[in-house]
Amino acid sequence: MQVTETARDGLKRTLQVVVGKAELGERFTARLDEIKDRVEIKGFRKGKVPVAHIKKLYGKTLMQEVLEQTLNDTSAKAVKDRNERPAQQPKVELVDFDENAFDRIVKGEADLAYKMDFEVLPPIPVADLTTLKLEQLSAEVDDAAVDKALADLAERNTSYEPEEGRVAGEGDLVTMNFVGRIDGEAFEGGSGEGQSLVIGKKQFIPGFEEGITGMKAGDQKIVSATFPEDYPMKDLAGKKADFDVTVTAVAKPKKPEVDEDFAKGLGAEDLKALRGFVSEQIKREYDQASRAKLKREILDALDKAHTFELPASLVDFEFDNIWKQLENNLKATNKTFADEGKTEEELRAEYRGIAERRVRLGLVIGEIGEKNKLQVSQDEMRRALVEQARRYPGQEKQVYEYYEKTPGALAELRAPIFEDKVIDYVIAEAKPVEKKVSRDELLKAVEEATEN
């Protein structure tokens, strides 16, 4: 095999590869030897078919297999011998290859020539992680937070008791039938039977809850309400609708007291134990929020600390995925670029910047992990797969089969685990400074980090 670099432009490479006819002949002969004892042809005993006869009958087919395998083997070796890492699978194109060329190769009269176009990953000098200035927020769980969580828990466990003649008011559960019309015409999704809503929870469009307040079982009324201007369904946005409502039942709320009986009803030994469980849960939530904020800070710091040429093919691939997702979202919500408040050109520039950041961080994270031998174990992959399967009750077998047959899906499952390992490593190296904050300050910081 002869390899010649014919072009080099930044990270782009073009190689000319020639596999000599002698090597092709050896590969072809080896392939014949592999199958000769397995071939069954009428008139011959198994394993006794003359090689010349096999070659005559199956020569072209076997050579096609040999050529495909040769392309795979030699293209991989050509890159490996150069100690380069392709950013993506190289594009391979045969040179001056036609039916006559194929026949000459089969006859052992011609070499196999092809060119390879690919981009290589750039050298990535990882910054000194110990110099990163990081701050880790920490919030303590106080009694007020536990009290609020218990009150919310009690709210979620509210039951409702039907009461004859009760007039619907704040907090009541109203069951009803209704038919909605716009300009006298019923519209899709505007009708319902046996529908329930709790007054005050803003479950319907503005004006509806106010309209049914004061009604009782058996009452019928036309309730007018207006769809918001930003309503997802464009054909309804901003329009006024009239709903013919018949109330069938009104039930009053019965919120449990947060006491010993309430705690035992939730499986706790007593109220003190329940408060302990709730406090631990809140602490986990705080820690998760703190880590999310710190992770974003780390990614920002890594992005800022590294500057190197990015493979255009990876950036284009990432940008295309982001752009397709944006177009699909706009289509699903019946919106346009104008609704985003920017021109298409401005959005393209913005999302290309996002694509570049993702590619840069992906390469940096991969480099940190590789240099420090961070790996995802089989047990970690197994646990992730089990967790993924649990999200689809009754379809666990199909989930397992999907991941077994789809290597790309396994890579997607592995990626976040690997990234978290790198984040943990960076934290250990950078040793963030701990800063005590209140719950509100923590959540505000996380929100701001998410928006930026």
Side-chain angles (χ1 to χ4, degrees), residues 12 244 272 412:
K12 295 180 180 178
D244 187 351
K272 181 179 179 180
E412 290 180 2

Side-chain angles (χ1 to χ4, degrees), residues 341-385:
K342 298 179 181 179
T343 65
E344 180 176 347
E345 290 72 19
E346 289 172 333
L347 284 171
R348 282 184 177 276
E350 177 182 331
Y351 285 111
R352 180 158 290 277
I354 293 173
E356 291 173 351
R357 172 187 164 93
R358 289 184 181 179
V359 170
R360 185 181 301 108
L361 285 173
L363 294 176
V364 170
I365 286 171
E367 192 73 8
I368 294 173
E370 184 176 338
K371 284 187 173 181
N372 296 284
K373 297 181 173 56
L374 304 179
Q375 297 181 343
V376 178
S377 69
Q378 289 296 324
D379 284 342
E380 289 170 324
M381 287 296 294
R382 195 175 298 112
R383 287 196 295 271
L385 185 55

Side-chain angles (χ1 to χ4, degrees), residues 330-429:
L330 291 176
K331 184 177 180 181
T333 55
N334 292 316
K335 291 184 177 180
T336 65
F337 294 120
D339 293 320
E340 297 296 305
K342 298 179 181 179
T343 65
E344 180 176 347
E345 290 72 19
E346 289 172 333
L347 284 171
R348 282 184 177 276
E350 177 182 331
Y351 285 111
R352 180 158 290 277
I354 293 173
E356 291 173 351
R357 172 187 164 93
R358 289 184 181 179
V359 170
R360 185 181 301 108
L361 285 173
L363 294 176
V364 170
I365 286 171
E367 192 73 8
I368 294 173
E370 184 176 338
K371 284 187 173 181
N372 296 284
K373 297 181 173 56
L374 304 179
Q375 297 181 343
V376 178
S377 69
Q378 289 296 324
D379 284 342
E380 289 170 324
M381 287 296 294
R382 195 175 298 112
R383 287 196 295 271
L385 185 55
V386 169
E387 184 178 336
Q388 186 73 0
R390 285 175 177 168
R391 297 178 183 178
Y392 302 92
Q395 303 179 48
E396 290 85 354
K397 182 179 179 181
Q398 292 91 321
V399 172
Y400 289 128
E401 289 177 350
Y402 170 73
Y403 280 98
E404 285 177 1
K405 299 175 182 177
T406 315
L410 277 176
E412 290 180 2
L413 204 60
R414 174 185 176 277
I417 304 174
F418 179 76
E419 182 176 280
D420 278 342
K421 282 178 171 288
V422 173
I423 293 298
D424 287 338
Y425 180 82
V426 175
I427 292 173
E429 289 291 301

Side-chain angles (χ1 to χ4, degrees), residues 45-65:
R45 285 183 297 165
K46 184 177 180 180
K48 299 298 181 179
V49 183
V51 172
H53 192 57
I54 297 174
K55 184 175 180 181
K56 179 180 178 181
L57 291 178
Y58 303 115
K60 285 192 174 183
T61 301
L62 289 175
M63 181 53 81
Q64 184 68 40
E65 294 178 8

Side-chain angles (χ1 to χ4, degrees), residues 35-103:
I35 70 167
K36 66 181 182 180
D37 293 332
R38 304 197 302 268
V39 172
E40 295 185 35
I41 298 178
K42 189 175 182 180
F44 296 92
R45 285 183 297 165
K46 184 177 180 180
K48 299 298 181 179
V49 183
V51 172
H53 192 57
I54 297 174
K55 184 175 180 181
K56 179 180 178 181
L57 291 178
Y58 303 115
K60 285 192 174 183
T61 301
L62 289 175
M63 181 53 81
Q64 184 68 40
E65 294 178 8
V66 168
L67 290 180
E68 290 179 2
Q69 188 61 50
T70 300
L71 283 172
N72 291 335
D73 294 344
T74 57
S75 60
K77 187 175 187 304
V79 174
K80 183 179 179 181
D81 289 348
R82 293 166 58 86
N83 292 318
E84 291 180 325
R85 298 180 297 171
Q88 288 188 314
Q89 186 69 24
K91 179 183 177 183
V92 175
E93 183 180 344
L94 296 174
V95 176
D96 298 328
F97 190 83
D98 54 24
E99 186 65 30
N100 292 330
F102 181 72
D103 288 339

Side-chain angles (χ1 to χ4, degrees), residues 22-36 51 55 63 66:
E23 181 178 342
L24 289 174
E26 292 173 359
R27 286 173 173 264
F28 183 67
T29 300
R31 180 65 178 135
L32 279 174
D33 288 341
E34 284 180 14
I35 70 167
K36 66 181 182 180
V51 172
K55 184 175 180 181
M63 181 53 81
V66 168

Side-chain angles (χ1 to χ4, degrees), residues 200-251:
K201 290 197 173 181
K202 309 299 182 185
Q203 296 167 307
F204 273 47
I205 60 176
F208 191 90
E209 290 185 5
E210 292 82 354
I212 66 171
T213 298
M215 297 180 69
K216 59 182 182 295
D219 285 353
Q220 184 175 1
K221 179 181 178 182
I222 301 297
V223 175
S224 296
T226 302
F227 287 93
E229 293 290 344
D230 60 351
Y231 196 70
M233 298 177 65
K234 283 285 188 181
D235 55 337
L236 298 179
K239 292 186 178 180
K240 177 185 175 183
D242 294 320
F243 295 87
D244 187 351
V245 180
T246 300
V247 172
T248 58
V250 178

